Amino acid sequence: MPKRDKYWLKSYISRICEQIEEYRGKPPNYIEVQGLIQRFVKNNPDADPESIDWVSHYDPKLEYSEILQRFKEAYPQYKWEKEEVREKQYDEERYFNELLDYLRKQAEELPRELRLRLVRELSAELGLPAVEAKKLEEAIEAEVEKPPERPRKKVVVDLMLIAKYPPLPEAKNIAQAFSFDELDEKVYERACERVLEAAERGIVSAKLDDPLTEFLSYPTATGIVAWIYDRWLASRYALAEARRIEKLLMVDEPEVLEFVAKKCLKTVEYVPGSEDPEIKSSAKYGDYRIQLKEYIRTTTEARLNTDPRWKLINRVVRRGFIYLSPAELARIVRAYVQMILKNTVLRTAANRRVIPPKIRDAAEKIRPRLGEVVSRLRKEITTIPADMPPCMKLIQERILRSEDVSHFENFAIATYLLNTGRGIEDVLKLFSHRSDYDERIARYQVEHIAGLRGGRTKYRPPSCSKMKTLGLCVENGKHCPRWIKNPLDYRPPKKVGNPSYIT
Ligand code: SF4
């Protein structure tokens, strides 16, 4: 037998996958095929893998254990069990801890708040025990020297502030002093750019070199979107502008955050732990607080309450107040701005006659380009395979639309795709639609999930019961077989009489 090194094995596995694809008409699960062949090679170092007919015995409709059983029966002369290939079951906590270690190292230059936010989000989503989550938070806090206390600053409403946060009521008064027909051409250019950025990337950039243009381009862009009168674009634009504001708030002074947040949350207060001995013990949970009643109302209105991290059970509540970190407060502001802006666009669209002619012309100029973006997105959405379980289809659609998708949903879709024959590049291509996409981090996460890094664990998608607990199961599994335990078990119902699919 010729020498078989790891490079040969890798190309051999790829070749077998191609042959299976040709034979079955669809690509096999690469990780499964790799697992089978590696298992064979490890257990039978002197045997030639080419003596096995991988192609006709591999059946993608079967579970991995059933496929393995087939090979055992077809080739009883070989060992299949002695040295198990390491293949662990889904283990959220382990994934979380390993990922967190990596992120902690990679993100050392990130502001402390961002790191803490990540820890909290993942803890809540993955149901990490509160004690463990606290330990992690404390570890991050201990790494960073606390900045010296400084006197409170007074917020001045100037051109820069309204350029950053144009939905402020103060900005509206200033904008009324300008006539749209007299605005400089560069305001229209920037406004068109805002709309295109929103449609293409799901986030609007902040160009603050020329604050007046930046500020005036906001109501102009809002008018353009209203004139185009498309619900999808209205939602997308509202989301993209709200994300821009959230990003700016995250790096602005705490007093500015408090000032802006007060426009949507009446009871918000800046209470840094060091100033209030009452809350010293819970200071690490956030330097802001709002009344419980308002918290519940706002998170419900902004539809944040479907995300586990906003549920009361995961919050610090003290004497009728909820404590929030700056990042969390900025997130609430974002949800609020998004909701208000979308309503404004739709209201203006319903009364389009009031939109000035220059705005209409600008809108018509970019309409063809917007049409291209929309049809590209629609095309991508319609290429989602029909045999995917409804929960995974929904996550994929939401990523393609650059909507908010939690870490847990990202994890679920990545594990699902990797376990059903898609490669790392396919998953990265999907993730590139996220507005916060960072190729370096995403690649690490996906390779980690595929078992190529960290603890070398091969992850499986979360079980259906876990998906249900997190509200990610579609209509409580109504469209899936009753016996289903994991999204990987899903098979699309046959059109005519299939007794095993009871809906
Ligand atoms: S039952 Fe399972 S596969 Fe079906 S939608 Fe719910 S979580 Fe997804």
Side-chain angles (χ1 to χ4, degrees):
M1 189 178 72
K3 192 174 176 314
R4 308 298 199 199
D5 59 15
K6 62 179 180 183
Y7 302 104
W8 176 87
L9 193 61
K10 213 173 148 196
S11 76
Y12 177 67
I13 294 167
S14 304
R15 182 152 46 90
I16 293 295
C17 285
E18 278 166 23
Q19 288 172 6
I20 294 174
E21 182 175 356
E22 214 169 282
Y23 182 67
R24 299 269 171 193
K26 68 185 235 184
N29 180 332
Y30 180 86
I31 294 174
E32 264 180 12
V33 177
Q34 184 186 36
L36 272 172
I37 299 179
Q38 282 179 347
R39 175 189 283 257
F40 174 85
V41 172
K42 274 197 176 182
N43 288 330
N44 306 281
D46 299 325
D48 184 359
E50 295 203 270
S51 62
I52 303 287
D53 181 0
W54 302 103
V55 179
S56 57
H57 288 97
Y58 178 88
D59 184 347
K61 286 200 235 64
L62 299 178
E63 288 289 314
Y64 181 71
S65 56
E66 293 168 328
I67 299 173
L68 183 60
Q69 190 56 34
R70 270 196 165 194
F71 280 94
K72 278 184 198 168
E73 283 164 15
Y75 300 98
Q77 68 273 36
Y78 293 119
K79 289 181 193 158
W80 293 93
E81 290 294 350
K82 193 178 136 207
E83 289 230 12
E84 294 282 318
V85 173
R86 195 166 182 212
E87 195 181 330
K88 292 194 177 157
Q89 288 296 304
Y90 174 63
D91 178 349
E92 296 154 9
E93 281 76 11
R94 188 191 161 105
Y95 167 73
F96 171 80
N97 284 321
E98 288 183 359
L99 182 58
L100 194 70
D101 271 351
Y102 164 76
L103 288 175
R104 198 188 280 142
K105 277 184 217 123
Q106 291 289 309
E108 254 151 28
E109 69 274 19
L110 274 184
R112 182 179 63 109
E113 277 305 333
L114 279 181
R115 266 185 286 163
L116 280 174
R117 177 182 170 183
L118 193 69
V119 171
R120 288 184 187 130
E121 286 180 359
L122 287 169
S123 311
E125 282 167 17
L126 301 181
L128 199 73
V131 183
E132 292 299 317
K134 261 188 208 170
K135 265 195 232 155
L136 288 164
E137 288 187 21
E138 277 162 11
I140 291 179
E141 288 205 323
E143 284 169 24
V144 182
E145 244 179 71
K146 287 238 165 35
E149 280 178 36
R150 58 171 185 71
R152 272 179 77 90
K153 279 189 184 164
K154 195 171 178 308
V155 177
V156 180
V157 181
D158 56 11
L159 191 55
M160 184 54 90
L161 190 82
I162 57 172
K164 283 179 175 175
Y165 310 111
L168 284 172
E170 291 83 350
K172 201 175 169 190
N173 299 338
I174 300 170
Q176 278 165 357
F178 292 86
S179 156
F180 282 109
D181 290 332
E182 288 162 13
L183 291 183
D184 200 287
E185 215 31 60
K186 62 185 179 184
V187 173
Y188 283 94
E189 276 168 26
R190 174 66 184 134
C192 291
E193 191 182 33
R194 281 180 106 115
V195 179
L196 289 167
E197 281 177 353
E200 282 168 355
R201 297 173 37 218
I203 187 166
V204 172
S205 61
K207 295 196 170 168
L208 300 168
D209 300 344
D210 179 354
L212 184 63
T213 301
E214 184 71 356
F215 160 57
L216 291 171
S217 66
Y218 171 77
T220 314
T222 308
I224 291 175
V225 177
W227 178 255
I228 287 176
Y229 199 22
D230 178 282
R231 281 195 90 81
W232 175 82
L233 183 64
S235 308
R236 179 100 163 164
Y237 173 67
L239 169 74
E241 286 286 0
R243 274 186 175 149
R244 171 187 179 276
I245 287 175
E246 182 193 24
K247 232 175 144 184
L248 288 168
L249 283 174
M250 296 276 290
V251 290
D252 221 327
E253 305 281 354
E255 292 83 0
V256 174
L257 173 55
E258 185 188 17
F259 178 83
V260 176
K262 271 205 155 92
K263 305 293 170 184
C264 46
L265 300 161
K266 287 191 186 64
T267 61
V268 70
E269 281 176 79
Y270 177 46
V271 283
S274 53
E275 285 177 17
D276 184 352
E278 271 279 289
I279 59 157
K280 252 196 168 128
S281 60
S282 60
K284 58 179 168 292
Y285 291 104
D287 291 341
Y288 297 85
R289 67 179 189 183
I290 59 170
Q291 275 179 9
L292 178 61
K293 216 167 132 191
E294 185 167 36
Y295 175 85
I296 295 174
R297 184 177 50 74
T298 315
T299 49
T300 311
E301 275 176 13
R303 299 182 60 202
L304 286 172
N305 58 349
T306 53
D307 188 331
R309 71 177 175 272
W310 299 102
K311 292 200 188 295
L312 277 185
I313 197 165
N314 293 318
R315 309 301 323 172
V316 174
V317 188
R318 218 180 141 94
R319 298 188 180 174
F321 283 93
I322 299 275
Y323 285 83
L324 300 164
S325 68
E328 288 164 341
L329 185 60
R331 179 67 186 83
I332 293 186
V333 173
R334 165 180 145 189
Y336 194 84
V337 169
Q338 184 181 346
M339 188 173 65
I340 299 293
L341 182 54
K342 187 178 168 189
N343 290 342
T344 308
V345 171
L346 294 177
R347 236 189 359 259
T348 316
N351 189 14
R352 294 163 88 221
R353 278 169 304 156
V354 299
I355 298 175
K358 258 188 112 175
I359 292 189
R360 298 179 191 188
D361 293 346
E364 292 307 330
K365 233 163 71 190
I366 58 166
R367 194 187 280 278
R369 197 147 151 217
L370 284 170
E372 278 168 29
V373 177
V374 174
S375 61
R376 198 190 64 224
L377 275 174
R378 287 218 176 103
K379 205 169 137 209
E380 277 171 337
I381 289 167
T382 50
T383 53
I384 296 176
D387 60 356
M388 268 186 132
C391 50
M392 297 298 164
K393 258 192 212 160
L394 191 67
I395 299 176
Q396 201 165 341
E397 275 180 30
R398 293 183 49 222
I399 295 178
L400 288 172
R401 291 197 183 105
S402 301
E403 286 177 15
D404 274 335
V405 173
S406 66
H407 297 293
F408 192 85
E409 287 167 280
N410 284 324
F411 176 73
I413 189 73
T415 46
Y416 178 81
L417 292 174
L418 291 169
N419 276 278
T420 50
R422 275 66 153 208
I424 286 167
E425 296 307 322
D426 298 325
V427 181
L428 287 175
K429 197 172 159 211
L430 173 68
F431 283 178
S432 68
H433 289 269
R434 280 166 28 189
S435 63
D436 59 349
Y437 178 68
D438 176 323
E439 211 223 308
R440 200 171 47 115
I441 291 183
R443 181 173 289 282
Y444 179 85
Q445 289 173 331
V446 177
E447 287 180 356
H448 193 131
I449 290 168
L452 304 177
R453 285 173 182 262
R456 309 268 158 185
T457 300
K458 176 190 170 188
Y459 292 96
R460 277 169 62 80
S463 64
C464 290
S465 69
K466 184 82 184 172
M467 296 285 281
K468 279 180 189 153
T469 317
L470 290 167
L472 300 175
C473 175
V474 174
E475 296 187 67
N476 210 22
K478 186 177 145 191
H479 308 285
C480 300
R482 273 196 193 152
W483 44 261
I484 199 164
K485 295 264 185 309
N486 189 289
L488 280 181
D489 303 333
Y490 179 83
R491 303 284 180 274
K494 285 186 183 152
K495 285 206 175 97
V496 188
N498 181 352
S500 59
Y501 286 87
I502 304 157
T503 56

